[in-house]
Amino acid sequence: MSPRTNDGEREQPGQPDAGRPAPQARRPEPATGRPTPEPEARRATSGDDAPETGAGITGSVSDAEAVSDAEAVSDAEAVSDAEAETRDSDEPTEARASGEAAEGREPRDPAAGRDSDDRTEAREAAEGRELALPAQPEPAPVAGDERVAAVRRVGEAGRRWRAVHLGACAAMLAVALTAGAVALGAVHEQRGVPVAAAAAVSPGLLAGGDLDASITALQTHLRAQPRDFGGWATLGLAYVEQARTKGDPSRYPQAEQALGRSLALRADNDQALAGRAALAAARHDFAGALSFADRTLKQNPYNERALSSRIDALVELGRYDDADAAVRTADQRRPGVPVFTRYAYVHELRGDVATARRVLDRALAASSSPGDIAYVAAQLGQLAWNQGDYATALTHYARALAADENYLPALEGRARAQAASGRQAEAIKGLELIVARYPLPGPLVELGELYEARGRAGDAAKAADQYALVDAWTAIARANGVNADLDTALAAADHGDRATALRAARDDWSRRHTVHTADALAWALHVNGKDAEALPYARQATATGYRNASFLYHLGVIEKATGHPQDARTHLSAALKLNPGFSAPGAREARTALKSLEATK
């Protein structure tokens, strides 16, 4: 089966060999301050095919043309002939490999010698871990129920025995995540619907419906066709997406194993290389993500996932000028929603909110799938919330949730906007539901702070439970290869061990110089009494023009502590004017600091 062009016609000889389309890879967002389970939201991508025609956002912004003219590449495009090849002479090997996979053993493949390094990585990833391809799909308990029960047990255990609270949190959170992995590896929500194996599996399967059901279909297909390198690559990408959207880092080793198998079967396939870039970004290894993205683009300059991952990596390494050049290149090669949203974010980081909003509005107009609509609408909601426009933010979050009622960034963003609007009870209820399913650092800290702000009997203990779960999550994330230094630094500075916060912030700064790592290091230095050292980092965090009330608040507090009262008044006032509800404790402390400055004026 030949690859198809974007309009559904088969490619003609001489057209660029674009490989297979990949599912949409959305920008990683936790390290950039965005509310999503991993490297840093939900990654919006479409396929990896040849360049499509239509106007990119660069031209449409300058010409004020609608981006809807630039159609996104269909994720349902067919895969290449190589993916469906089956030779009679290979049947015994395939049958043996399929049987070994069903028995829980690594399939043997004579083609694995094509890339010994990736083959070794795949074998090492398999040792001591759950196989990427479970033996047989079977009904399992719903992961959400397990996590609700786990979090409740954690809270009770913490109040009874505070000395071993962190250990209990980690153990129970691990049980919840493991239960989720088992359930998701089998049949989603106990729906035992048989899935027929296809002759070849398109990555578009992942974008067209239920992710968990798509993974089940891929697993079934790979039992029948264990030498399908494209199928293994797609499964690896699906595990990355599942880990990110479910907040379950235990899926990353499975993703690594599946992608390793794909590369062992064909070392130069750009779909698996792009998957390795996405996996590295999800684990916050941005130098590795950049390296894999560059390798992918040497094989296929039009691979959309690699183009997107390259932008993400450059942004998360703090190389903003390079990221701007990369997003323009991507816009020329593969204009579409994934590139448009990244274009908007690069402009937002430089303080150009008007352009960011205009591009996101156009990206939303160009979105057709529920996943893209939810993603772009949530980005618009986040942008509005950053500017203190809570009513607009809630409108965008409502549209995102209409498209996908379980989309985590929209659920979390809605709760944050509700809290900032004075609707504390609704915000707490929403966050309680979120952390029961997705015990991630951002929602856990926000819920803990709202408990403290409410101040009812028992709320202090409830808040402490949330902060302890952050430590448990970061421990599990690290065990599965995720660099959680930024999460650790942000949470521990205000709600944990301050020395740990500073150590984590310094470690993260040693690897990358972004506005977010500069702010985290400045604040960690401040809470450790090192304000003179903190001031240059706090100023660097705001130097690009990025409009973030938390950054301005941190800068103002540090300026006050270092004897710069006028600058402190300017920045504390700016933080409260920009987004008066940026943080329950932060906004309260900013007002207190301003009153103190006015009293000594």
Side-chain angles (χ1 to χ4, degrees), residues 528-591:
N528 281 275
K530 301 177 182 293
D531 290 295
E533 187 181 352
L535 185 57
Y537 294 108
R539 287 176 172 168
Q540 185 169 342
T542 60
T544 67
Y546 181 43
R547 293 167 56 82
N548 185 298
S550 181
F551 289 13
L552 292 169
Y553 158 65
H554 289 163
L555 176 59
V557 169
I558 293 169
E559 286 172 333
K560 179 176 181 291
T562 52
H564 298 81
Q566 184 58 47
D567 291 337
R569 277 192 291 271
T570 298
H571 291 119
L572 289 170
S573 298
L576 292 171
K577 181 180 180 181
L578 175 63
N579 185 356
F582 69 90
S583 161
R588 181 179 63 250
E589 292 169 15
R591 293 186 181 95

Side-chain angles (χ1 to χ4, degrees), residues 180-218:
V182 171
L184 297 175
V187 180
H188 181 58
E189 296 180 352
Q190 298 184 344
R191 287 178 293 182
V193 179
V195 180
V201 178
S202 167
L205 183 68
L206 305 182
D210 188 295
L211 178 63
D212 303 331
S214 298
I215 288 175
T216 300
L218 281 165

Side-chain angles (χ1 to χ4, degrees), residues 184-399:
L184 297 175
V187 180
H188 181 58
E189 296 180 352
Q190 298 184 344
R191 287 178 293 182
V193 179
V195 180
V201 178
S202 167
L205 183 68
L206 305 182
D210 188 295
L211 178 63
D212 303 331
S214 298
I215 288 175
T216 300
L218 281 165
Q219 291 167 342
T220 301
H221 167 74
L222 288 168
R223 289 188 187 93
Q225 300 290 340
R227 295 187 64 217
D228 179 3
F229 67 89
W232 284 111
T234 304
L235 181 62
L237 290 166
Y239 282 144
V240 172
E241 183 73 0
Q242 193 177 63
R244 198 181 49 70
T245 57
K246 303 293 182 181
D248 183 0
S250 68
R251 296 308 244 179
Y252 290 134
Q254 292 178 283
E256 184 175 8
Q257 179 187 352
L259 293 167
R261 289 187 180 188
S262 177
L263 289 167
L265 289 165
R266 179 166 294 185
D268 61 351
N269 83 84
D270 64 281
Q271 188 182 341
L273 288 171
R276 293 294 293 269
L279 175 60
R283 284 172 156 174
H284 298 187
D285 173 15
F286 299 110
L290 181 60
S291 177
F292 276 114
D294 285 339
R295 284 179 59 186
T296 306
L297 293 172
K298 287 182 180 179
Q299 297 292 331
N300 177 8
Y302 300 96
N303 185 299
E304 186 177 59
R305 179 175 287 272
L307 289 167
S308 298
S309 292
R310 190 169 192 276
I311 300 166
D312 296 339
L314 290 168
V315 165
E316 297 305 331
L317 290 170
R319 295 168 54 180
Y320 299 131
D321 289 341
D322 292 336
D324 184 67
V327 80
R328 292 177 184 277
T329 297
D331 184 48
Q332 292 172 357
R333 295 180 183 177
R334 292 300 302 270
V337 170
V339 175
F340 299 164
T341 52
R342 285 165 171 85
Y343 185 97
Y345 187 55
V346 168
H347 278 265
E348 183 188 354
L349 286 171
R350 291 180 164 178
D352 187 358
V353 174
T355 296
R357 183 185 299 113
R358 184 166 65 250
V359 171
L360 287 174
D361 282 338
R362 293 173 178 176
L364 185 59
S367 299
S368 57
S369 71
D372 280 351
I373 293 170
Y375 173 64
V376 179
Q379 295 300 303
L380 279 163
Q382 176 72 11
L383 185 65
W385 184 85
N386 280 344
Q387 313 312 309
D389 186 354
Y390 308 134
T392 299
L394 287 168
T395 298
H396 287 307
Y397 289 133
R399 180 166 185 182

Side-chain angles (χ1 to χ4, degrees), residues 144-163:
D145 294 340
E146 292 286 343
R147 291 177 180 173
V148 171
V151 171
R152 287 174 179 165
R153 291 197 299 272
V154 167
E156 294 169 2
R159 286 185 287 274
R160 291 195 306 267
W161 191 13
R162 191 65 186 169

